[in-house]
Amino acid sequence: MESSKVLALYCLGIICLQITVDGSKILLFPNDVGYNSRVMNMLKLGRMLTNAKHQVTCVISDKMREEAMFKLAEGENADLSFNVVSYKTPPVEMRTDNEDLSDLMLNLDMPQLYVIVGAMFFNTLENTLKDKTIVKLAKEDFDLIITDELVFFPRIISANRSIPIILYSNFGTLTFDSDIIPRYSLAFVNGCFNRFSDVMSFFQRLENVWEYLRVKLVLSDAYSAAKVLCRSYGYGKSCDNIREIHKTVNLVLMNRNDVIHYPAPYMPHIVSTEGFFLEKPKPLDAYYKDILKGSETHGIIVVSFGSLFRRLGRKYRTIFAKAFSRMPQTVIWSYEGETPEGLGENTIVNKWIPQTDLLSSPAVKLFVTQCGASSLFEALNNGLPVVGVPFIGDQEYNCLKLAKRVKSAKIVKLNTITSEQLQNAMEEVINNETYRTNARKAATMYHDQLIDPRNKTLYWIEYVIRHKGAQHLRSAGENQLNFFQYYLLDIAGSVVIVIIIALTSVTVIVKALLKCLVNATKLKKA
């Protein structure tokens, strides 16, 4: 009887706790520089919150609504799921050819890429600052702001209206601003999107520090320009939060899991979301069922290079097509550019494929991907061996974690790729059972979690709402320390001064004693 009363009280407490957060007003700000996995994952987060009875307002540009990928992936779901508010963007001249985006970005290192991305941040900030609809929206009373770590305007709203803010890092531990998820020790933590594990040689650590400092310098310039622009619109001290968001953020949600990412220290307000955006596979339609049925002998290979590389220049699309044509498997390629030369009869090309549903099929022998944040977790979730072809950003870093840490992948570098090289890599990963064994082992560990990733993510968001912030999870002391205090240079300096004083004193005393001994010896002889 007593136990039933306890259970009843517990259930009542859970219900009351739920009531306190139901119907909270949440402002959702994806990173709007084109429809990609960052945007897709944040929209999924918005739907999770809507299903949990929250009122979600999502801000996207008018240009986003017109993108073919947005229409294909989202359709009318965005407007049906939550209140969508659009801001105006100036017209730009669109590229009409199919030149390979990788040709433009392949030779850029991360600091150079940051310069390009920084310009995008600035343009997005300017567009939102001058849009009357967004300015009006910013004056409404919201309980919480959830934004991509790359968007500046929500930081201003948060400081101006004293609204708790949560940042979402699609790149996981490697935020663009290293202060948001601090790299506490560059001796074993990657400072940028470097190709290193947590065991680095002297020269790797040297490069790690150098790239880290270069990126900090570039980002500092982007912040300074953004603050000047912000102040010109009359937001005053609220503009300081553009740079100082790491001191005010309540929670950071990062795509990270212990199975695939290297261990590192994190503050309590930095939470691993474990791939919350992964969806349960649905039954395939008749078209794809027939494809799988006709591929029972050798299986299938799924190929996807993410939303940015759905169109490839002649060089790369020909290399890929020829390599795929030589494989005995049926290849299903998510691609919408010009028809590649040398495309084999075994290769099926579609603008949109049910990737999640296909990857869950036991007929899949290999996943060929650029190793973006989403495809990284898809491979991990389904226990699939991978051939990684990284293009830009975090993709090489992700591929290396599959290849070196999980040992379920082989990497083919884009700048030296040939059809033969890609073919050999695919054949090795398919025919060597070790890759699949390692992938399945990692998948088993990934699924062995205390709490479902979606429930975990939702819990922490509602935790911030319930307590109207979570400043107690963030270290105030860390943010108040200056450079010398943070790296204990003041302590080291004090120790050095004490040692110098002690050595000087000992030297003076020894010299004085020696002088006395010499004088005493002279007197004795005299």
Side-chain angles (χ1 to χ4, degrees), residues 505-521:
S505 301
V506 170
T507 302
V508 170
I509 292 170
V510 169
K511 283 184 176 181
L513 289 173
L514 289 174
K515 188 175 181 181
C516 289
L517 287 172
V518 170
N519 290 336
T521 304

Side-chain angles (χ1 to χ4, degrees), residues 303-316:
V303 182
S304 175
F305 299 121
S307 55
L308 285 178
F309 301 100
R310 296 174 56 77
R311 291 174 175 266
L312 299 172
R314 178 177 297 175
K315 173 185 174 182
Y316 291 113

